[in-house]
Amino acid sequence: MLRVERIYHRSVVTLLLLILLLPLAATLVYALSSQWGATILPQGFTLKWLLQLWQDPRFLAALGHSLVICFSALLLSVVLVLPLMFVIAYYFPALDGIMNVLILLPFAVPPVVSSVGLLQLYSAGPLAMTGTPWILIGCYFTITLPFIYRAITNNMQAIHLRDLMDAAHLLGAGTWQAALLVVLPNLRKGCLIALLLSFSFLIGEFVLANMLVGNRYETLQVYLFNMRNGSGHFTSAMVISYFMVVLLLTWVANTVNKGKEG
């Protein structure tokens, strides 16, 4: 009976993986095909479209812009939010309920609505940031708050933060010394999960990037939108390249995390 259930569960998981991977596999085949029209299978394979994409200075610039904005927003989130989360969890745990409501506010306002307000607010005056990467970094910082806060808060609850701090105090460590040397290393997994979730969401964000910056600081998604009327093979190569960049960064982060654990 257990063997039948195991086979059934594996079959369901395998079928689900196939369903999820089938569109991606079809996109990859189309990106590598020289021509694919009326026939079931491509008439030939080529690396022309991938080479053309990665030799395009505009694509490389857009990819660099996206990485700079995403990493800057994530760095700002960790530097500003992580100490605040420690203070709330250790000194003011009663505020956790209020924070759970506040961090959802970025998702309560649609990006189109918030973009219109930001355009009116930052298009002129002393803080004219429209069309610059700075306004996107600020917007992406607010978007990452729910991911950062929830993942790290769950990690803090799992490691029993107060017990760790009390043990460190008994051994003679100060509060912030214990936070840096004892608590922070135990939050590595939670931080990594939060950063990966945030990065995968930010690098695919389009509405804010297109409305607030557009072609003045073209990001990867804006570039993909601008090239939508080109060759379908070229567009498929962009989608596959986008997926591979995210997959590569995720693999690097997991490798670094495993190396530290070893």
Side-chain angles (χ1 to χ4, degrees):
M1 185 67 180
L2 292 176
R3 183 175 181 181
V4 174
E5 290 182 357
R6 190 179 298 111
I7 295 175
Y8 171 75
H9 293 159
R10 289 180 178 177
S11 301
V12 172
V13 172
T14 303
L15 179 62
L16 180 61
L17 288 175
L18 290 176
I19 294 174
L20 294 175
L21 292 177
L22 185 60
L24 185 63
T27 305
L28 176 61
V29 173
Y30 196 70
L32 297 176
S33 62
S34 58
Q35 187 175 357
W36 194 2
T39 58
I40 297 178
L41 297 177
Q43 298 180 8
F45 292 95
T46 180
L47 295 176
K48 170 187 174 181
W49 309 110
L50 286 172
L51 294 176
Q52 181 180 342
L53 175 68
W54 285 96
Q55 291 175 357
D56 184 5
R58 185 178 171 185
F59 166 75
L60 297 177
L63 176 61
H65 292 167
S66 292
L67 293 179
V68 168
I69 292 175
C70 291
F71 287 149
S72 299
L74 293 176
L75 179 62
L76 185 63
S77 299
V78 172
V79 171
L80 295 182
V81 176
L82 191 57
L84 175 63
M85 294 177 60
F86 171 77
V87 170
I88 292 176
Y90 188 65
Y91 293 104
F92 308 104
L95 295 178
D96 183 63
I98 300 176
M99 290 298 299
N100 287 329
V101 176
L102 293 178
I103 61 173
L104 295 178
L105 290 180
F107 290 137
V109 182
V112 175
V113 177
S114 60
S115 298
V116 174
L118 291 170
L119 285 172
Q120 295 179 351
L121 186 62
Y122 293 108
S123 293
L127 294 176
M129 296 188 295
T130 303
T132 68
W134 305 112
I135 191 170
L136 272 187
I137 292 174
C139 291
Y140 285 3
F141 165 74
T142 61
I143 293 175
T144 60
L145 289 181
F147 301 103
I148 299 289
Y149 188 85
R150 284 310 324 158
I152 299 181
T153 297
N154 293 337
N155 199 179
M156 284 184 175
Q157 294 174 353
I159 65 174
H160 303 290
L161 173 64
R162 189 166 293 277
D163 293 340
L164 279 179
M165 293 297 296
D166 291 342
H169 287 157
L170 288 175
L171 295 175
T175 299
W176 289 104
Q177 184 182 11
L180 291 175
L181 300 180
V182 178
V183 176
L184 187 59
N186 284 280
L187 296 179
R188 186 172 63 247
K189 285 187 177 180
C191 289
L192 179 62
I193 293 172
L195 292 176
L196 290 177
L197 286 174
S198 301
F199 176 80
S200 62
F201 184 84
L202 292 181
I203 200 171
E205 200 283 324
F206 170 73
V207 177
L208 291 173
N210 188 49
M211 295 191 66
L212 297 178
V213 177
N215 294 331
R216 286 170 288 183
Y217 195 81
E218 193 177 44
T219 61
L220 191 58
Q221 290 300 318
V222 176
Y223 173 82
L224 181 59
F225 175 76
N226 291 333
M227 302 297 291
R228 68 190 184 281
N229 293 326
S231 170
H233 300 278
F234 186 77
T235 305
S236 298
M238 284 190 289
V239 173
I240 291 298
S241 298
Y242 161 77
F243 175 79
M244 293 304 297
V245 168
V246 176
L247 185 64
L248 177 62
L249 291 175
T250 304
W251 176 79
V252 170
N254 287 329
T255 302
V256 171
N257 184 58
K258 289 181 181 179
K260 289 182 178 180
E261 288 180 353

